[in-house]
Amino acid sequence: MIIPMIVSSDKTQLTHFRNKQAYPVYLTIGNIPKDTRRKPSRHAQLLVAYLPTTKLGGISNKSAWHRALANLFHACMGNILDPITLHGETGLLMMSGNRVWRRCHPIFAVFIGDYPEQMLVTCTYNGRCPKCSVSPDELGKLQSFPLHTQSSAIAAYCLADNDNHCAFHLACHQAGLKPIFQPFWEAHPFSDIFNSVTPDILHQLLQGMIKHLIKWLIKIYGSAAIDSCCKAMPPNHKIMLFTKGIATLSQVSGQEHKWMCAVLLGLIIDLPLPGALNSSRLIKAVHMLLNFLYLAQLTSHTNETLHRLQDSLAAFHDNKAIFIDLGVRENFNIPKLHSLSHYESSIQQFGTMDNYNTEQSECLHIDMAKDAYHATNHKDEYSQITIWVEHREKVERHAAFVNWRQQGNQHDLLSQTPLRPPCVPAQTLKMPRNPSVKAETIHDIIGMYGTVDFADVLGDFIAGVLNDSLPGHVTQYCGENIYIPFS
Ligand SMILES: [Zn+2]
């Protein structure tokens, strides 16, 4: 049994950290469902560390500074994951929910983060794909490219131990990787860092392709036309009305982009394209990207929904040239567009997207990083943050305990017995020492007590007593020939 550990971190959500002293790493422990049709179980998430985001002001050379930061990140992650390095290989006894001990292999299974963090963790260059070897000028094509593998990356990184630095840098360059000294995943042979990078609906779709798409549409139709359609939109269930339009909004959140998606097709469906062009390709492209977004968010999948997901993406690619024809794009070499081509395989491997969407960990950032930071005096905040988080956890635990006691559980507190598996009660037969009836005829015994075989069994018993050296089936045969001379 393998317990995947999902390590997620999101630095960008800490923009309020003025001096960016730390950002949190969460550890999620849970089973990743093998069957995507099953609704995924909720994972327990645990804050395990704050990573330093120090500025390293002493290094003036920019590329050396970038490398030092990346090396620092990998050294910290190596430290955090050190306890599972050995157990991942040799296994560790853990008790499961039904109190059965199992040998588990905790491995680093999934990394959840935005694009810059995916680059940082996989040591790949900006503008490349963290999962495959697509070149920057082919990002707009819908086709599969050879995947990066951890073994080939480790082969390049092993050269770092030699004195020949040129050979190390050359090998890294050929593999399309940054020359990092001992990336943390080097020590985890059962993990594959490139495979463990998961899709991310928040950054890749809502704050990525959907954001781009809305910008392109505003450019094509003009802010005035889009905004007037927004104002004319009638109220309806489950839609947000943008009464002041959407063209002038800034710093739009993922949730606001979701609301825009609900009305987007309605806004443009009847708008004429400039130059009296036929708008069917544009409508189809928008429709298919929205389809892809909604299908990607499903909390359970079948082969059919996965096929429809791929078909929607293919149909978007088939119709996307309209944006070039209308002059709003020159090409589609956008890493976030390419990332959509890895969605289907990730869903098949790691289950539905709600298992690893950064939207979910966003609330943890508010609770455990943003609120925690605001509670400090903004000086040497690291220790203050950890104490604040610890206090909050204790208060929450105590509140849960008080709540539990108030629900009338106080008497059970001392008499609590450990939960055991249900056991079958021992089957014993209790008989009185003296019979309750002195004498009974065979006829009454059979008639009143329902012992229809009494005479036969008595015959067997007598045969057994007379021939106690014979096996059971033989005495049974003898029993049939016993004549009982009384009733
Ligand atoms: Zn790729």
Side-chain angles (χ1 to χ4, degrees):
M1 179 175 156
I2 288 176
I3 294 188
M5 294 189 139
I6 305 168
V7 174
S8 105
S9 70
D10 195 338
K11 183 172 60 181
T12 52
Q13 292 174 13
L14 285 181
T15 44
H16 69 288
F17 261 48
R18 269 178 260 146
N19 49 2
K20 290 209 170 178
Q21 289 254 325
Y23 71 92
V25 175
Y26 298 105
L27 184 82
T28 311
I29 302 172
N31 284 320
I32 290 180
K34 278 189 191 139
D35 185 354
T36 49
R37 283 166 299 180
R38 231 176 49 202
K39 246 191 145 157
S41 53
R42 284 194 171 274
H43 301 303
Q45 287 191 319
L46 192 74
L47 175 69
V48 288
Y50 287 108
L51 293 178
T53 52
T54 168
K55 294 257 192 259
L56 296 181
I59 304 173
S60 53
N61 181 294
K62 201 145 194 208
S63 57
W65 177 76
H66 277 298
R67 263 207 308 279
L69 277 182
N71 283 328
L72 177 65
F73 169 81
H74 280 276
C76 291
M77 287 296 287
N79 257 332
I80 293 168
L81 294 173
D82 194 40
I84 65 161
T85 312
L86 182 67
H87 295 310
E89 265 188 82
T90 59
L92 172 75
L93 282 181
M94 289 186 189
M95 190 188 272
S96 59
N98 55 357
R99 293 189 161 246
V100 176
W101 287 94
R102 297 171 191 275
R103 177 169 294 280
C104 299
H105 294 260
I107 60 163
F108 178 88
V110 170
F111 179 81
I112 304 168
D114 63 5
Y115 184 67
E117 286 150 11
Q118 291 177 351
M119 298 292 100
L120 179 65
V121 86
T122 54
C123 309
T124 38
Y125 284 96
N126 207 18
R128 297 294 187 110
C129 172
K131 294 177 83 73
C132 70
S133 56
V134 58
S135 69
D137 52 357
E138 287 181 308
L139 288 167
K141 291 182 185 168
L142 180 63
Q143 66 182 77
S144 44
F145 296 89
L147 296 171
H148 290 307
T149 59
Q150 176 141 330
S151 51
S152 59
I154 286 178
Y157 285 125
C158 281
L159 297 173
D161 299 333
N162 298 344
D163 290 337
N164 188 349
H165 284 258
C166 285
F168 168 56
H169 281 253
L170 185 69
C172 289
H173 180 74
Q174 282 171 345
L177 299 167
K178 287 180 192 167
I180 303 290
F181 285 91
Q182 294 178 333
F184 71 88
W185 34 264
E186 220 180 35
H188 297 263
F190 293 127
S191 304
D192 187 327
I193 189 66
F194 304 106
N195 193 34
S196 69
V197 169
T198 53
D200 173 16
I201 290 176
L202 180 67
H203 294 101
Q204 291 169 346
L205 274 168
L206 293 170
Q207 299 290 58
M209 286 312 296
I210 296 294
K211 189 176 164 184
H212 289 315
L213 181 72
I214 291 170
K215 262 192 205 161
W216 300 338
L217 292 175
I218 291 171
K219 243 183 182 177
I220 291 168
Y221 292 109
S223 315
I226 294 279
D227 282 355
S228 65
C229 284
C230 283
K231 288 168 195 167
M233 185 68 68
N236 208 330
H237 294 287
K238 290 187 178 176
I239 66 162
M240 169 68 110
L241 290 179
F242 292 89
T243 49
K244 290 180 180 169
I246 56 171
T248 50
L249 294 178
S250 61
Q251 296 215 326
V252 183
S253 69
Q255 181 57 49
E256 284 165 330
H257 275 134
K258 265 190 198 172
W259 288 329
M260 287 179 192
C261 287
V263 296
L264 199 59
L265 263 184
L267 295 180
I268 60 161
I269 195 105
D270 283 332
L271 284 180
L273 275 184
L277 265 172
N278 186 340
S279 65
S280 62
R281 274 193 301 156
L282 182 71
I283 301 288
K284 182 96 178 167
V286 176
H287 177 193
M288 287 300 130
L289 195 60
L290 291 175
N291 243 6
F292 185 87
L293 169 72
Y294 290 126
L295 287 167
Q297 291 179 91
L298 290 183
T299 52
S300 72
H301 275 285
T302 61
N303 286 343
E304 200 208 322
T305 57
L306 289 176
H307 283 148
R308 281 170 57 197
L309 184 82
Q310 276 308 85
D311 290 348
S312 304
L313 185 62
F316 172 77
H317 278 275
D318 289 344
N319 292 282
K320 68 181 191 285
I322 183 72
F323 294 105
I324 295 175
D325 296 349
L326 289 164
V328 288
R329 285 297 308 177
E330 284 178 1
N331 59 59
F332 285 92
N333 296 330
I334 309 166
K336 285 178 181 180
L337 176 60
H338 168 80
S339 70
L340 307 187
S341 63
H342 293 295
Y343 274 40
E344 191 202 2
S345 61
S346 290
I347 291 172
Q348 290 201 347
Q349 249 186 312
F350 298 118
T352 51
M353 299 279 223
D354 48 352
N355 283 310
Y356 40 84
N357 186 358
T358 47
E359 258 181 295
Q360 293 208 329
S361 52
E362 204 165 324
C363 62
L364 290 173
H365 283 274
I366 294 168
D367 283 357
M368 292 177 173
K370 293 183 179 184
D371 288 355
Y373 177 73
H374 286 305
T376 67
N377 63 359
H378 304 178
K379 279 178 192 156
D380 298 330
E381 62 276 350
Y382 174 70
S383 55
Q384 296 180 50
I385 285 175
T386 47
I387 290 171
W388 187 87
V389 168
E390 211 179 304
H391 284 180
R392 276 245 326 219
E393 282 174 354
K394 283 179 181 169
V395 168
E396 274 170 22
R397 273 210 298 273
H398 184 68
F401 177 72
V402 169
N403 191 21
W404 178 75
R405 288 286 294 266
Q406 282 176 342
Q407 285 171 355
N409 290 311
Q410 57 266 47
H411 300 303
D412 302 343
L413 188 62
L414 295 174
S415 62
Q416 267 189 52
T417 48
L419 200 65
R420 293 183 200 288
C423 57
V424 182
Q427 303 226 330
T428 53
L429 188 64
K430 280 190 181 174
M431 292 183 78
R433 194 177 296 249
N434 301 308
S436 53
V437 179
K438 281 273 185 224
E440 204 71 83
T441 63
I442 291 178
H443 181 263
D444 283 352
I445 289 172
I446 293 171
M448 287 168 64
Y449 301 99
T451 52
V452 286
D453 294 331
F454 180 79
D456 294 341
V457 175
L458 181 64
D460 289 350
F461 175 73
I462 294 168
V465 171
L466 295 176
N467 311 286
D468 62 345
S469 58
L470 294 177
H473 64 276
V474 181
T475 54
Q476 207 171 357
Y477 172 75
C478 297
E480 286 173 16
N481 299 321
I482 294 267
Y483 169 69
I484 300 172
F486 55 84
S487 64

